Amino acid sequence: MNKIIYTLFFFFATLYAEENIDNLLLDYQDESKLSNITKDDLAGFLQVFTRDDLERMQAHTLMDIMKILPNYSINSVSDNEYVLSSAGSTCLQSEFISLYINNHKINLVTQYSNMSIENIDHIEIYNIASSVEMGGESAPMVIKLYTKSALHDEGNKVSISESSNAELNANLYTAATLDNDFSYFGFVSFVKEDKTDVTHEYSTQEYTGKYEKDNYLAYASLENQTIKIELSHFTKKADEGLGVGDYKTPSDGGYNNSALTYLHLTKDFSNNITLDIGLTHSSVDKNYIDFNQITLYEKDDGTFYKVDRLKLEQDTDQAEIFLAKKINIEDNHILIGSRFELNENSYDTLMQDSSFSDNLQQDRREYKTSLMLEDKYTPSDSLKIITSATVDFYRYKDSSDYEDEYMFRLGGVKSYENYQFRFFSSYRYIDEKKTPFSFFVTNDEEVEKEKKSDYKYGIGVKRFFQKSELEIIYGVNRVDGDYQPTQILHSTGICESSDTTGRYGVEIHYNYFYDKENKIYFTYYQGDTEADLDASPKSGINVMMFNRYQKFDLYNELIYKGRYKRHDVRMPRTYLYTSAIKYHYSKDLSFIFKGDNIFNKSSQTCYYMYDSANIYDIDVYDRKVTFGMEYLFW
C-alpha cells in the first residue's frame, strides 16, 4: 500500500507543477520520423512506443510491451505458454488481438510473445481500430510492429546480454543502401532460457520442473521507394514446463515447439494503387507425457476422458492478396480495397493410454474474400470523420459450411482549443453455419445456423497543457452469441470457456514532459466483464519514467495490479518493478543493466483441475538481473 501512496504523491505533485496550461506540449513529444509517417490518429485510440522508448526500456521481446497494456493481464500456464486476459476474465481467444509486422498479419499473438523485437523501429497499438488500412479487422486491439531499415540504421550492430536466470540474448543486424537506390536490412536473434529449478506446491506436495526455451529469429528486407520484400523465420523450442497432467508430474521427453515463416511483398504504384502479397507457414508441435493422467474433457455421462500421452500437431498455410486504390475528392479521402485469403489447416491429435491408442485428424481449407470501402472526411484541420464498411465471405472446400461477416465502422476526432475529443465504434454481424474446428473432434455434423453480433465503441477526451497531457477513455465490447474456443484443453488454462463475451473498461492517462529527454507516463485503469467474473485483476496502475543524464539513459517502470479471487483463492497484489540503465561509453559502444521484478512481487496465475479440489499457482515473471553490451560498427 505504501508503494501506491508514493506513486500517487508523485503523480499529483507533477500534476500541480504545470506552468502555463494555455500552451500545447507538442514541442516536448519526440517521435521517430518513421512513426510520424505510419501512425494514423483516425484509426483508433493510439499508443506509440517510439524507437527511443524501446531502447531506453530495453524491451527485448513482445512480452515486455504486452505486460504494460492497460486492462489486460499476462497469465503463465503450466505447459510453458502464456495467455492474455482482459480485466476479470480467464483468457482471450485468438481473434481478440491482431498482430501485424509492417503489413503482414501474424495469428496467435501470445504464441509469439517471446519473439525478439530488437529489429523493431517502433510499435503502434490501436484500441477499437476503425480503419480498413488496419486490415479491415474487427479485433478490439491491433498491434503493429514496424521494422528498422537502412534509412535510419545504416551500419552493423551487435548486442549481447545475459541474465541471472541463465537467459542468453544475442542479436546482430546489418543495413546498407546500395547504388541502385535499393537498401537492405538483415537481422538474426538468439534467445536461450534455462530455468531448471521452477518449484510449486500442488496437493500439499512440492514439485520441481524446468522451463527451457530456445528462440531463433531471422529477418531480411530489400526495398526502395516503391517496393518492399520481406522474409522472416521464427522458431521456438521448449520443454513442456510443468506439463498438463492432473498432478503436474510430467515425464521426460515432453516438448512444446512452434515455428513461423513468411514472405511478404508490398508494391506502391504511381496511380495510388497498393498491392500486398503474403505467404505464411506456421506449425505447432506439442508432446505431453504424464503417467499420472492427463484430463482432456468431460464426457456426456459425467466421467472424464484421460490419457497418459497427448501429442498435438498443427500446420497452417496461408496466402493473401490485398489490392487497394485511394481516391481524393475534395475533403474526402476514399479507399476501395479487396482482399483474398486462402487458409489451409491440418490438426493431428494422438492420445495414448496403457490400454489404447487413438488418433484424430482434421483438415480444412478456407477461402475468404473481402470487399472494403472507407472514407476519411476532413472538412477542416479540427474535424476528421472516418466511415467504412467491410464484407467478408468465408467458404470451405468440400463443405456446405459458410460464414459471412458484415462490419461497419464510424469514428471521429474533433479538436477544440486545447481539447481533443475522439469517438470510435464498430459493429460486426456474423451469419454462420460451420463445424467446430479444434484439436478434439467430437462429431462431424454441422451445427445449427447461428447469427451473432459484436459491437464495440469507445469515447475519449484529451486535454493538452504546456508540458503534459491528460486523457480519459471509456470503452465497451458487447457480444451476442457464444464463440467456439480456439482450444479446449482445460488443464492448460487456455480458453476454458467463452466467458470473455461482454466487457468494458476505463483508462486515465497522464503524461508529463519535463523536456525532450525526461518524461513520465502514468496510467490508471479499471475494467470488468458483464458477467462480473473475478478471474484476473480488474484494476491497476502503470508508471513509466524516462530520464537521461549525460551519458546515462535511465528507465523505471512500476506495474501495480489489484487483488482478485480465483477458485476461492485470494490472489495477492502485484508490484512488478523494473529498472534499466544504459551507459553510452562512446558513440558506438554502450553497456546495459536491467532488473526485472525487483520487488519479487510478480503476477501469479491460479489454475486447478476441474475434477479435483487441487489448486496451484505459477509466477508469470522472473526476478532477474541482466547485463549486456551493444556495439555499432561500420
Side-chain angles (χ1 to χ4, degrees):
M1 188 64 186
N2 290 335
K3 301 180 181 67
I4 302 178
I5 294 175
Y6 297 150
T7 303
L8 292 174
F9 174 80
F10 187 86
F11 165 66
F12 286 110
T14 55
L15 178 64
Y16 286 105
E18 298 293 348
E19 297 177 4
N20 183 357
I21 63 175
D22 295 328
N23 296 323
L24 300 179
L25 80 121
L26 298 181
D27 291 338
Y28 291 91
Q29 294 193 9
D30 185 18
E31 295 183 317
S32 64
K33 293 180 180 179
L34 187 55
S35 65
N36 281 327
I37 296 174
T38 61
K39 70 175 185 177
D40 186 356
D41 292 320
L42 200 56
F45 296 102
L46 171 63
Q47 183 177 10
V48 178
F49 293 91
T50 68
R51 165 203 294 273
D52 187 60
D53 292 340
L54 296 176
E55 290 182 352
R56 291 210 244 176
M57 293 169 64
Q58 296 183 30
H60 299 301
T61 66
L62 190 59
M63 175 76 76
D64 293 327
I65 300 300
M66 296 176 64
K67 71 178 183 180
I68 56 179
L69 297 178
N71 273 312
Y72 296 95
S73 297
I74 296 288
N75 294 323
S76 176
V77 290
S78 58
D79 64 340
N80 224 340
E81 286 291 358
Y82 297 97
V83 296
L84 189 66
S85 66
S86 62
S89 69
T90 55
C91 64
L92 295 174
Q93 298 167 350
S94 59
E95 63 268 22
F96 193 89
I97 297 179
S98 295
L99 173 67
Y100 286 83
I101 301 179
N102 296 321
N103 293 328
H104 192 87
K105 183 179 179 181
I106 307 296
N107 293 321
L108 296 176
V109 178
T110 53
Q111 184 74 33
Y112 306 106
S113 58
N114 285 314
M115 183 170 61
S116 173
I117 57 173
E118 300 275 1
N119 63 323
I120 300 302
D121 178 88
H122 68 283
I123 298 175
E124 298 170 1
I125 299 177
Y126 295 86
N127 282 289
I128 315 183
S130 57
S131 172
V132 169
E133 293 180 271
M134 296 293 104
E137 294 291 344
S138 61
M141 180 185 295
V142 176
I143 301 176
K144 300 206 73 173
L145 311 181
Y146 290 91
T147 56
K148 296 176 180 178
S149 67
L151 181 63
H152 304 288
D153 298 276
E154 190 158 353
N156 307 279
K157 183 178 181 180
V158 60
S159 63
I160 301 174
S161 63
E162 186 171 3
S163 302
S164 57
N165 68 337
E167 176 183 320
L168 178 65
N169 190 324
N171 304 279
L172 172 67
Y173 82 69
T174 179
T177 301
L178 307 177
D179 295 335
N180 57 1
D181 293 331
F182 272 92
S183 64
Y184 68 84
F185 179 87
F187 173 81
V188 292
S189 172
F190 168 76
V191 180
K192 181 178 178 61
E193 298 180 46
D194 188 8
K195 298 181 292 183
T196 57
D197 296 322
V198 180
T199 61
H200 75 289
E201 186 174 295
Y202 187 81
S203 189
T204 70
Q205 297 185 49
E206 188 173 273
Y207 298 97
T208 300
K210 59 180 182 178
Y211 273 56
E212 297 179 357
K213 293 182 182 180
D214 292 330
N215 300 333
Y216 306 89
L217 173 64
Y219 172 86
S221 66
L222 180 67
E223 64 180 311
N224 63 11
Q225 294 295 325
T226 62
I227 191 171
K228 183 170 187 175
I229 302 173
E230 303 169 82
L231 177 64
S232 183
H233 176 74
F234 174 71
T235 299
K236 182 180 71 175
K237 297 182 178 181
D239 60 50
E240 60 174 321
L242 297 175
V244 298
D246 292 8
Y247 295 98
K248 309 305 166 197
T249 54
S251 303
D252 291 336
Y255 55 82
N256 181 358
N257 303 334
S258 60
L260 170 72
T261 303
Y262 72 84
L263 174 67
H264 195 94
L265 180 145
T266 301
K267 171 65 177 176
D268 294 323
F269 297 91
S270 58
N271 52 356
N272 288 328
I273 293 179
T274 300
L275 174 66
D276 280 283
I277 300 176
L279 300 173
T280 305
H281 174 76
S282 61
S283 62
V284 176
D285 187 4
K286 302 182 179 183
N287 186 46
Y288 304 112
I289 303 173
D290 193 331
F291 294 104
N292 287 320
Q293 297 286 286
I294 301 170
T295 299
L296 299 185
Y297 54 83
E298 186 174 0
K299 300 179 182 178
D300 294 336
D301 59 3
T303 61
F304 295 91
Y305 190 64
K306 297 187 176 186
V307 295
D308 293 336
R309 181 191 179 193
L310 174 64
K311 182 174 175 58
L312 309 172
E313 294 182 0
Q314 177 187 2
D315 286 283
T316 302
D317 292 297
Q318 298 171 298
E320 68 169 340
I321 300 176
F322 177 60
L323 187 65
K325 166 71 174 178
K326 293 183 178 179
I327 304 173
N328 297 321
I329 303 176
E330 296 182 348
D331 297 329
N332 296 277
H333 307 279
I334 302 172
L335 184 145
I336 303 173
S338 177
R339 181 190 303 271
F340 175 77
E341 297 181 28
L342 170 62
N343 296 280
E344 194 163 10
N345 298 276
S346 175
Y347 282 178
D348 192 344
T349 305
L350 175 64
M351 296 169 287
Q352 291 182 334
D353 207 325
S354 57
S355 59
F356 77 95
S357 178
D358 195 2
N359 183 250
L360 300 176
Q361 295 179 335
Q362 189 176 15
D363 299 284
R364 174 168 289 181
R365 177 177 290 184
E366 173 188 280
Y367 306 92
K368 177 184 176 182
T369 304
S370 304
L371 302 176
M372 310 170 184
L373 177 64
E374 177 176 280
D375 179 26
K376 293 182 179 179
Y377 177 59
T378 56
S380 65
D381 293 337
S382 63
L383 178 61
K384 301 176 183 179
I385 299 173
I386 183 173
T387 56
S388 64
T390 304
V391 183
D392 297 325
F393 303 100
Y394 293 85
R395 296 298 180 266
Y396 305 91
K397 182 181 179 181
D398 302 326
S399 173
S400 60
D401 292 3
Y402 72 84
E403 180 177 328
D404 297 337
E405 295 188 8
Y406 307 88
M407 288 175 281
F408 307 93
R409 297 176 177 83
L410 174 65
V413 178
K414 171 62 179 178
S415 300
Y416 176 74
E417 295 183 348
N418 294 345
Y419 291 90
Q420 186 182 79
F421 303 91
R422 292 186 288 172
F423 170 77
F424 299 102
S425 65
S426 67
Y427 177 80
R428 177 174 65 157
Y429 174 82
I430 305 174
D431 190 6
E432 174 187 57
K433 184 177 73 172
K434 66 178 182 179
T435 305
F437 187 50
S438 64
F439 278 119
F440 308 105
V441 184
T442 55
N443 61 74
D444 295 324
E445 298 179 0
E446 294 179 348
V447 298
E448 292 296 323
K449 181 177 178 180
E450 297 185 29
K451 293 181 174 61
K452 308 172 184 176
S453 64
D454 183 351
Y455 178 55
K456 311 175 189 71
Y457 72 86
I459 55 176
V461 57
K462 180 183 289 188
R463 171 69 157 96
F464 295 97
F465 302 92
Q466 181 188 12
K467 292 186 177 182
S468 64
E469 59 188 11
L470 176 66
E471 182 176 26
I472 302 175
I473 300 172
Y474 177 74
V476 175
N477 179 200
R478 287 195 171 92
V479 179
D480 294 328
D482 293 329
Y483 284 88
Q484 180 70 20
T486 53
Q487 296 189 43
I488 57 174
L489 187 57
H490 291 258
S491 53
T492 66
I494 298 178
C495 291
E496 296 176 357
S497 62
S498 302
D499 58 14
T500 58
T501 56
R503 61 188 70 86
Y504 59 89
V506 62
E507 300 175 12
I508 301 176
H509 300 269
Y510 177 76
N511 302 331
Y512 185 86
F513 300 82
Y514 298 93
D515 50 43
K516 291 185 178 181
E517 308 293 347
N518 301 279
K519 58 188 177 181
I520 179 172
Y521 296 160
F522 177 93
T523 301
Y524 170 80
Y525 59 90
Q526 185 166 344
D528 204 346
T529 61
E530 291 186 343
D532 194 26
L533 300 172
D534 197 16
S536 61
K538 297 183 179 181
S539 63
I541 297 173
N542 294 341
V543 181
M544 304 166 64
M545 296 182 63
F546 300 83
N547 300 100
R548 181 165 286 150
Y549 176 74
Q550 294 183 359
K551 291 186 176 183
F552 290 91
D553 289 340
L554 308 174
Y555 175 72
N556 289 277
E557 170 187 290
L558 176 64
I559 299 175
Y560 164 79
K561 295 182 183 296
R563 292 180 182 270
Y564 71 99
K565 195 173 184 179
R566 177 68 168 153
H567 305 310
D568 294 325
V569 177
R570 193 164 183 81
M571 304 302 293
R573 296 184 178 94
T574 296
Y575 301 97
L576 188 61
Y577 176 55
T578 299
S579 183
I581 302 174
K582 187 174 184 179
Y583 173 65
H584 300 274
Y585 178 80
S586 66
K587 180 181 178 181
D588 301 325
L589 178 63
S590 301
F591 297 96
I592 60 175
F593 166 83
K594 184 179 182 182
D596 289 282
N597 191 20
I598 294 175
F599 294 155
N600 200 23
K601 295 290 185 179
S602 168
S603 302
Q604 292 183 335
T605 301
C606 179
Y607 289 106
Y608 83 122
M609 284 306 301
Y610 56 91
D611 63 336
S612 70
N614 295 319
I615 299 174
Y616 67 98
D617 58 74
I618 304 174
D619 285 335
V620 180
Y621 306 103
D622 293 329
R623 186 184 192 183
K624 63 182 180 180
V625 177
T626 302
F627 296 93
M629 57 82 67
E630 297 177 354
Y631 182 65
L632 179 65
F633 58 97
W634 303 89

